[in-house]
């Protein structure tokens, strides 16, 4: 039985999509079967694997709104064992269309539950908002990874996300857990980054991943090329960091069993 993990933070630009793409690729390289669920209308997790989202016949939008089976929309990547459930700009209007649907908060959960038999990890790339699609993602998930940049505004906004998780846990998904806080775009040369890193570790202690994703231009270049950094430059810091993260995640799961 696989594990569904949402990558969520209502603050944009903290590395959710970059982490989703490269964590998924690293897990696949470690011989795990992985599905990326692109739940962001910007569809960057889809284009990050070279998918032309404009030419797709089906996407997560059709599955959420029209009941299209996920298998009809899922695209195989060039990496063995790694698939993408792609997004489309149409997803922008999905939240309004979902308002009148029965059990609207559980639609994505009902789509993904059967897929847990096929994949070891299902990673949901959430949009930078706390709207109905993100609520669906958190309701569908077993755990949430919170990518986190070491700066003041990132720390300031985290209470809203934690409150949302608390509400969803109490009302919609009692089994939802925080997998961990992940420090991204970290530059150890900056004193302010080190100060906030220490503050995050003080506040969240064991919930902070040991792995830190360092600022690395190869991650940006890889995204622009439509590939995970593992296939773009395997020896880069970005590739090494995400492989460490994948190993840490697998080890944490093994220790729970």
């Amino acid at each position: 039985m696989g594990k569904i993990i949402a990558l969520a933070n209502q603050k944009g630009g903290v590395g959710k999509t970059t982490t989703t793409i490269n964590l998924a690729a690293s897990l696949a390289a470690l011989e795990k079967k992985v599905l990326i669920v692109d739940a962001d209308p910007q569809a960057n997790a889809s284009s990050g694997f070279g998918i032309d989202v404009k030419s797709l016949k089906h996407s997560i939008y059709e599955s959420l709104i029209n009941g299209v089976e996920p298998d009809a929309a899922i695209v195989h990547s060039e990496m063995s064992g790694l698939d993408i459930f792609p997004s489309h700009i149409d997803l922008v209007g999905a939240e309004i269309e979902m308002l009148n649907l029965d059990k609207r908060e559980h639609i994505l959960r009902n789509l993904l539950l059967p897929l847990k038999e096929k994949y070891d990890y299902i990673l949901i790339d959430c949009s930078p908002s706390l709207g109905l699609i993100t609520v669906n993602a958190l309701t569908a998930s077993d755990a949430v990874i919170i990518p986190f940049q070491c700066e003041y505004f990132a720390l300031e906004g985290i209470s809203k996300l934690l409150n949302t998780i608390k509400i969803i846990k109490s009302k919609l998904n009692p089994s939802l857990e925080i997998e961990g806080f992940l420090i991204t775009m970290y530059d150890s040369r900056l004193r302010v980054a080190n100060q906030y890193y220490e503050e995050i570790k003080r506040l969240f202690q064991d919930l902070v991943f040991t792995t830190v994703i360092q600022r690395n231009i190869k991650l940006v270049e890889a995204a622009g090329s439509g590939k995970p950094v593992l296939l773009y430059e395997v020896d880069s810091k970005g590739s090494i960091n995400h492989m460490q993260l994948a190993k840490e995640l697998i080890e944490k799961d093994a220790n729970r069993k």
Side-chain angles (χ1 to χ4, degrees):
M1 181 70 76
K3 183 173 187 176
I4 303 177
I5 303 175
L7 287 93
N9 191 326
Q10 81 276 14
K11 188 178 187 303
V14 296
K16 288 188 297 296
T17 300
T18 299
T19 301
T20 303
I21 291 169
N22 292 293
L23 173 57
S26 298
L27 288 167
L30 293 169
E31 300 185 338
K32 300 296 182 182
K33 296 189 74 174
V34 186
L35 175 67
I36 291 176
V37 178
D38 192 349
D40 186 346
Q42 296 179 79
N44 291 332
S46 304
S47 59
F49 277 93
I51 296 171
D52 180 6
V53 296
K54 293 179 182 177
S55 67
L56 292 172
K57 184 177 180 182
H58 298 302
S59 69
I60 189 173
Y61 170 82
E62 283 78 19
S63 294
L64 289 171
I65 303 303
N66 300 325
V68 170
E69 288 294 325
D71 285 343
I74 287 172
V75 177
H76 301 298
S77 79
E78 62 181 298
M79 292 189 72
S80 177
L82 175 54
D83 297 337
I84 299 100
F85 192 178
S87 185
H88 190 276
I89 190 62
D90 288 349
L91 195 61
V92 167
E95 295 199 356
I96 295 173
E97 295 178 70
M98 290 167 70
L99 288 175
N100 295 323
L101 298 180
D102 189 39
K103 294 186 177 179
R104 61 194 181 202
E105 296 89 355
H106 294 84
I107 296 171
L108 184 58
R109 177 185 178 89
N110 294 335
L111 289 173
L112 297 183
L113 277 178
L115 298 177
K116 291 180 78 171
E117 301 290 341
K118 296 175 60 175
Y119 296 97
D120 298 303
Y121 289 95
I122 298 174
L123 305 182
I124 308 176
D125 183 33
C126 297
S127 66
S129 74
L130 295 177
L132 185 54
I133 301 293
T134 299
V135 168
N136 261 261
L138 293 171
T139 302
S141 297
D142 301 301
V144 54
I145 291 175
I146 304 172
F148 206 101
Q149 200 174 349
C150 287
E151 61 174 36
Y152 173 74
F153 291 113
L155 194 60
E156 186 184 50
I158 204 68
S159 60
K160 189 174 182 181
L161 175 60
L162 293 177
N163 189 53
T164 299
I165 291 170
K166 183 179 178 181
I167 293 168
I168 288 171
K169 190 175 172 69
S170 65
K171 305 283 188 183
L172 298 168
N173 183 7
S175 63
L176 181 64
E177 301 292 344
I178 294 176
E179 187 72 35
F181 293 85
L182 176 67
I183 306 302
T184 62
M185 295 181 277
Y186 181 64
D187 188 342
S188 61
R189 298 170 299 178
L190 300 177
R191 188 174 73 171
V192 67
N194 291 312
Q195 288 173 338
Y196 280 117
Y197 180 37
E198 292 303 320
E199 179 68 4
I200 291 162
K201 287 200 296 183
R202 185 187 68 79
L203 287 171
F204 303 116
Q205 301 178 22
D206 291 344
L207 285 175
V208 181
F209 280 100
T210 301
T211 301
V212 171
I213 308 300
Q214 295 166 287
R215 192 176 289 277
N216 181 229
I217 189 62
K218 296 301 178 184
L219 288 169
V220 179
E221 292 175 3
S225 73
K227 292 182 177 181
V229 72
L230 188 68
L231 299 182
Y232 182 79
E233 188 154 331
V234 69
D235 294 327
S236 66
K237 279 184 181 179
S239 179
I240 293 167
N241 289 164
H242 284 93
M243 186 60 74
Q244 290 171 335
L245 176 63
K247 290 177 179 177
E248 184 176 352
L249 179 62
I250 292 168
E251 185 178 344
K252 283 177 73 173
D253 287 339
N255 290 336
R256 291 191 185 104
K257 293 177 181 176

